């Protein structure tokens, strides 16, 4: 009897098992090709379920299909660390205690490393943290080109050069996505300023569009295979970028064959018909003003929610577009939320901390170093005066959507004390008061930066300390408050705020051993540059900020960062301000346009392709510091460049090789930069354009050959008449150097 029972229950289990086996639906079956799984899932979904998965259900998540076990998608900013948890339908904090993370250096700093490997470890580390936090999509990286130093969001981007940005963005994407977390490369496209970001229509010629502003996005989707891309707020050809026929359908999905998901920027969707037809797939953050602001059914009233459903039900639109969007969103789910092979992730691992520090120290740029003022010579230094608010101010809180809740942030003063404190006395004075805030959407820095003394008193104290000390480190620059480096509004002027210029001048008179450390994501005017021996450009460096700055000041890390954008002497030397329109057309500005979403202002990029060094070079306007500039504590000598051929045909490649020697006493790294100059062209071209680079590590006295290979794409320009890239036969020059204005060796070659 017992035997019989056992047998029966075993048989029962087996039938249940085989029953379950047989029933595994295709869409859940890992062994089936993903296209088949998508079609199967699609065929099981009701119209309402399809509509449901193409719009948000909360601030940062979108619906899944609960009935079918298809999970929700969870997104998070982006791009410098994983943003903390906010309430379901508010920007305020959800109050979790397990959502603090490592802040990685801002993307300007990453770009300044000119090191693809840094980008790769950045992506890997960030992706692991996103995984651990259960995120499916990271809202970044940002690759909008640096057009004007006033753009409040430049710190989130990678500079003025399309080639550098393209090269740096791809490894970041691959690093993140290896974790089963999608990137959302943003903001596509032409969101090059914050003022009027919702209500400006960008007008530019096709050459500027294709040669300057689009290449990083193209690289991100074609080479990086970014699974999502985020539309922008601004308008192009009169349509908002997040549902834009030209940008999304014609270029992204048409010319580039993009198969991933177009996500709207938060609140960038404004029209159901355009959202259906103009390339958008997934709607987020819509302001429901006029729809159902603040009510619980706000999400159902999104443009791609009930209004879309009603149109389909009434027969006014078909389901072709809907199915395409759903297929794309399901495809994303299979790579992320439904991906069973993704790693578990980790937060603040030793590797993450090491990565944050290495990227930060490699990104710092030594702009000037007269009389070898840096590194600080400890044998001659008994007392160091650290001056400036940015030495004690947390920078990870603020600036907009990239604001973070960090496990820790080492402040510059603490880093300096930790590194130098045992050997020397380190004293501090504030010097100026800038921003005493420290709260972003409820994430609090916990710092009390209130100060009641007058500016004169603060300066007097700083100057006194400077006089009494052997070395002065001034740490200033911008910060993440409104109208500095912050989202939503641009800077109001090019100069340093809070009267820092005056303070720096006073300090330079008080002590000749002075290092100015600028913490910013933008270029600033430096009227005191001749009075100050050494200047370091330190970006927003994240959790390891203080350690990285101290390591460079001490010479533990030899600076090897190079500027990812030009620093003009004055604002008018920048092409957008000299030639183009900013922040919009003057007459329209005067008429009050741009205040309303429905009344956008035009911004014409009259400067065309002449952005950044392309402008400085071609017009011979000397910048304060050039694109690609960055010094080292050692020196590098370049040999004569050789090419493996003197002529190439359209399908050929050509390799340039140069020997680089570390001729100083310290180990260091040099970024060897290759620029191409088209000696004769039917259309105007910049004097030269970056088309290759390599970072080479050299011990003191060591030398290495550096080779860079290019093909015809490096010689091409975009011909608007042909609507295609064209490489014209003729003579070119390969220029190799240490910055865009420090060319060390060159060679001619011919395209047959
Ligand atoms: C920003 C995006 C960000 C989103 C979500 C928007 O305002 O422009 O970059 O990812 O908010 O926070």
């Amino acid at each position: 009897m017992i035997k019989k029972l056992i047998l029966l229950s075993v048989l029962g289990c087996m039938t249940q098992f085989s029953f379950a086996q047989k029933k595994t639906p295709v869409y859940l079956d890992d062994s089936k090709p993903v296209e088949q799984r998508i079609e199967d899932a699609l065929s099981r979904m009701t119209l309402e379920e399809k509509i449901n998965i193409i719009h948000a259900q909360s601030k940062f998540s979108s619906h899944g299909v609960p009935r079918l076990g298809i999970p929700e998608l969870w997104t998070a900013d982006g791009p410098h660390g994983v943003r903390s948890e906010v309430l379901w339908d508010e920007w305020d904090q959800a109050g979790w205690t397990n959502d603090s993370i490592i802040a990685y250096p801002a993307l300007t700093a990453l770009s300044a490393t000119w090191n693809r490997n840094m980008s790769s470890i950045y992506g890997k580390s960030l992706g692991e943290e996103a995984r651990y936090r259960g995120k499916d999509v990271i809202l970044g990286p940002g690759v909008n080109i640096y057009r004007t130093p006033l753009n409040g969001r430049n710190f989130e981007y990678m500079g003025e050069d399309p080639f550098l940005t393209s090269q740096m963005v791809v490894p970041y994407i691959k690093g993140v996505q290896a974790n089963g977390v999608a990137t959302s490369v943003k903001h596509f496209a032409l969101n090059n300023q914050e003022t009027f970001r919702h209500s400006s229509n960008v007008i530019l010629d096709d050459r500027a569009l294709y040669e300057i502003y689009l290449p990083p996005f193209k690289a991100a989707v074609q080479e990086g295979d970014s699974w999502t891309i985020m539309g922008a707020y601004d308008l192009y050809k009169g349509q908002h970028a997040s549902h834009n026929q030209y940008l999304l359908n014609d270029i992204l999905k048409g010319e580039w064959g993009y198969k991933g998901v177009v996500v709207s920027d938060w609140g960038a969707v404004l029209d159901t018909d355009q959202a259906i037809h103009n390339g958008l797939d997934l709607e987020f953050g819509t302001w429901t003003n006029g729809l159902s602001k603040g009510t619980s059914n706000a999400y159902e009233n999104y443009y791609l929610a009930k209004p879309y459903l009603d149109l389909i039900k009434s027969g006014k639109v078909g389901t072709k577009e809907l199915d395409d969007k759903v297929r794309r969103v399901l495809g994303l789910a299979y790579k992320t939320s439904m991906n069973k092979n993704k790693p578990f992730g980790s937060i603040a691992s030793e590797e993450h901390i090491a990565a944050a520090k290495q990227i930060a120290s490699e990104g710092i740029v030594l702009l000037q170093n007269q009389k070898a003022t840096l590194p600080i010579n400890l044998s001659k230094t008994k007392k160091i005066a650290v001056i400036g608010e940015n030495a004690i101010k947390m920078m990870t809180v603020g600036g907009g959507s990239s604001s973070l809740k960090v496990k820790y942030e080492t402040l510059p003063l603490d880093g300096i004390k930790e590194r130098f404190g045992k050997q020397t006395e380190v004293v501090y004075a504030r010097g100026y008061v800038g921003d005493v805030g420290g709260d972003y959407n409820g994430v609090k820095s916990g710092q009390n930066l209130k100060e009641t003394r007058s500016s004169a008193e603060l300066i007097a104290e700083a100057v006194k300390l400077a006089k009494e000390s052997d070395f002065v480190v001034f740490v200033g620059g911008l910060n993440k408050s409104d109208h500095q480096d912050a989202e939503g509004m641009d800077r109001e002027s090019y100069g340093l705020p809070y009267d820092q210029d005056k303070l720096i001048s006073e300090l330079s008179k008080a002590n000749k051993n002075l290092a100015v450390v600028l913490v910013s994501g933008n270029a600033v005017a430096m009227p005191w540059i001749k009075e100050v021996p050494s200047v370091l450009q330190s970006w927003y460096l994240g959790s390891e900020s203080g350690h990285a700055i101290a390591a460079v000041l001490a010479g533990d890390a030899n600076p090897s960062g190079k500027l990812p954008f030009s620093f003009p002497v004055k604002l008018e030397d920048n092409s957008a301000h000299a030639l183009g329109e900013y922040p919009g057309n003057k007459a329209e500005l005067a008429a009050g346009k741009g205040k309303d979403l429905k009344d956008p202002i035009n911004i014409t990029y009259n400067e065309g392709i002449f952005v950044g060094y392309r402008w400085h070079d071609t017009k011979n306007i000397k910048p304060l510091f050039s694109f690609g500039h960055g010094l080292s504590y050692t020196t590098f000598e370049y040999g004569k460049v050789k090419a493996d051929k003197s002529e190439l045909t359209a399908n050929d490649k050509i390799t340039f090789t140069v020997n680089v020697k570390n001729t100083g006493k310290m180990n260091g790294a040099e970024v060897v930069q290759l620029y191409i100059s088209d000696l004769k062209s039917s259309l105007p071209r910049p004097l030269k354009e970056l088309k290759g680079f390599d970072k080479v590590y050299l011990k003191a006295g060591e030398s290495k050959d550096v080779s860079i290979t290019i093909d015809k794409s490096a010689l091409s320009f975009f011909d608007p008449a042909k609507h295609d890239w064209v490489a014209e036969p003729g003579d070119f020059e390969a220029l190799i150097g240490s910055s865009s204005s420090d060319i060390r060796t060159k060679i001619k070659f011919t395209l047959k």
Side-chain angles (χ1 to χ4, degrees), residues 454-530:
S454 71
S455 161
E457 285 172 302
L458 292 174
I459 293 183
E461 180 198 34
V463 168
K464 182 166 177 286
L465 278 195
K467 281 185 180 153
E468 291 165 6
S469 302
D470 305 302
F471 201 99
V472 181
V473 180
F474 172 78
V475 189
L478 307 178
N479 56 45
K480 300 279 192 69
S481 64
D482 289 359
H483 295 297
Q484 302 290 318
D485 284 321
E487 182 177 338
M489 63 220 91
D490 287 347
R491 296 167 66 195
E492 285 168 332
S493 65
Y494 185 49
L496 279 176
Y498 322 123
D499 241 352
Q500 291 176 76
D501 289 339
K502 182 173 166 212
L503 174 60
I504 294 171
S505 279
E506 297 283 319
L507 293 175
S508 72
K509 282 176 215 139
N511 195 323
K512 62 178 183 0
N513 292 319
L514 169 65
V516 166
V517 179
L518 291 174
V519 176
S520 77
N522 257 316
V524 298
M526 301 184 201
W528 34 259
I529 192 67
K530 294 213 170 84

Side-chain angles (χ1 to χ4, degrees), residues 60 77 83 139 153 186-187 197 230 233 265-266 401 487:
F60 285 102
D77 283 299
R83 188 173 177 172
L139 305 174
R153 254 184 130 171
K186 64 192 189 184
H187 307 88
R197 70 170 167 166
M230 187 190 289
Y233 286 129
D265 198 347
W266 269 230
S401 55
E487 182 177 338

